Amino acid sequence: MTNEGILEARLDKDAVRGVYTVIAPIYDFWALLTEVRARRRALELLAVRDGESVLEVAVGTGLTFVEILRANPSGRSEGIDLTPAMLERARRRVARDVPSARCELSLGDAYQLPFAAEQFDAVYNAYMFDLLPQEDFARVLSEMRRVLKPGGRLVLTNMSKSDRWYGELPELLYKVSPRLMGGCRGVVMAPFVEAAGFRDIMRETVIQAGFPSEVIAARRSP
Ligand SMILES: C[S@@+](CC[C@H](N)C(=O)[O-])C[C@H]1O[C@@H](n2cnc3c(N)ncnc32)[C@H](O)[C@@H]1O
């Protein structure tokens, strides 16, 4: 599976913020229909151990972040997101589901992570690269690499491409209007992850309700 034919990203950062402000109240429903399986697999591969430093980039409404917190009660857990409405939902979810959690949730941009170098044992990111222009992948991956400790774990999941006939449906909807797909189109991240200085790269495809996701696990090379 390659990035041949990857569609152009059609929402800039302000438009992304606008779309996710509008869909924040219904995002969890969409995620339940199309993303639960990939998210579960990504968490398995992230394999958070208590006491670690873990960062989730683009934490959204906190669907996975609360699972990270449950696995890491005495460690350091940080989450950032570009959209205040999504972050506010994540804050409410944490307060409701893991009230004793030690964590920080902040507004932030994946292009310029607000952390010093080599801070985290693991970085997790879901359904964000499928929103970004392909020409920005290297820059954002290099930020993730910068904040990871050498040997640290990176786990990504994204809307992806599939050889099955129904794999065309999400792309078709995106062509009609990117907003129908929350701005997401299929991407294949493994070649970019390798070029950004990661090793031991593993890629799986998980299909739910006809929507293909990829799950990628890798380690930062020293
Ligand atoms: C499809 S949602 C995924 C949310 C969450 N990761 C999940 O899997 O449930 C995309 C999220 O990416 C965030 N996002 C998009 N561009 C970003 C950027 N440059 N930096 C940080 N967050 C970003 C959006 O605000 C939105 O919350």
Side-chain angles (χ1 to χ4, degrees):
M1 187 60 52
T2 68
N3 262 309
E4 214 170 287
I6 184 174
L7 300 175
E8 196 186 327
R10 283 166 56 195
L11 303 184
D12 64 17
K13 261 185 219 173
D14 284 341
V16 164
R17 224 184 261 112
V19 165
Y20 281 92
T21 300
V22 171
I23 66 179
I26 54 155
Y27 182 77
D28 294 356
F29 179 63
W30 169 259
L32 190 71
L33 286 181
T34 64
E35 298 170 359
V36 167
R37 286 191 204 146
R39 209 179 279 285
R40 200 179 297 136
R41 180 65 181 136
L43 256 177
E44 275 171 22
L45 292 168
L46 191 65
V48 174
R49 294 182 293 273
D50 192 18
E52 289 192 313
S53 288
V54 183
L55 169 64
E56 181 172 355
V57 178
V59 74
T61 62
L63 287 168
T64 305
F65 194 63
V66 289
E67 301 304 332
I68 292 172
L69 293 175
R70 287 189 177 114
N72 194 26
S74 55
R76 173 184 177 202
S77 303
E78 300 259 2
I80 65 136
D81 200 281
L82 192 67
T83 307
M86 295 292 270
L87 200 63
E88 184 47 37
R89 287 192 171 256
R91 289 202 174 106
R92 274 192 256 152
R93 171 169 271 124
V94 168
R96 186 191 67 208
D97 293 355
V98 204
S100 59
R102 289 158 31 130
C103 69
E104 287 288 335
L105 282 167
S106 334
L107 273 180
D109 188 344
Y111 284 68
Q112 231 174 338
L113 292 173
F115 303 103
E118 303 190 358
Q119 299 255 303
F120 294 99
D121 299 294
V123 169
Y124 174 68
N125 173 250
Y127 300 103
M128 182 194 76
F129 279 100
D130 42 28
L131 285 163
L132 306 184
Q134 186 176 339
E135 57 271 23
D136 294 349
F137 291 174
R139 172 171 172 191
V140 175
L141 283 166
S142 89
E143 269 299 88
M144 292 176 174
R145 185 178 191 282
R146 180 182 67 77
V147 301
L148 270 173
K149 297 175 185 173
R153 313 187 299 283
L154 175 72
V155 173
L156 306 177
T157 179
N158 294 289
M159 182 166 294
S160 196
K161 292 156 164 281
S162 145
D163 294 330
R164 316 244 179 114
W165 63 269
Y166 48 71
E168 291 297 315
L169 179 65
E171 306 283 278
L172 199 65
L173 291 174
Y174 182 88
K175 281 181 194 162
V176 173
S177 165
R179 285 176 165 76
L180 284 175
M181 292 298 301
C184 299
R185 84 292 194 209
V187 295
V188 177
M189 291 303 296
F192 296 93
V193 171
E194 188 175 6
F198 290 87
R199 60 175 165 80
D200 302 338
I201 298 163
M202 201 272 327
R203 178 180 187 274
E204 293 176 7
T205 303
V206 179
I207 297 176
Q208 185 179 338
F211 287 82
S213 291
E214 65 174 6
V215 182
I216 291 186
R219 280 190 182 273
R220 188 195 139 153
S221 44

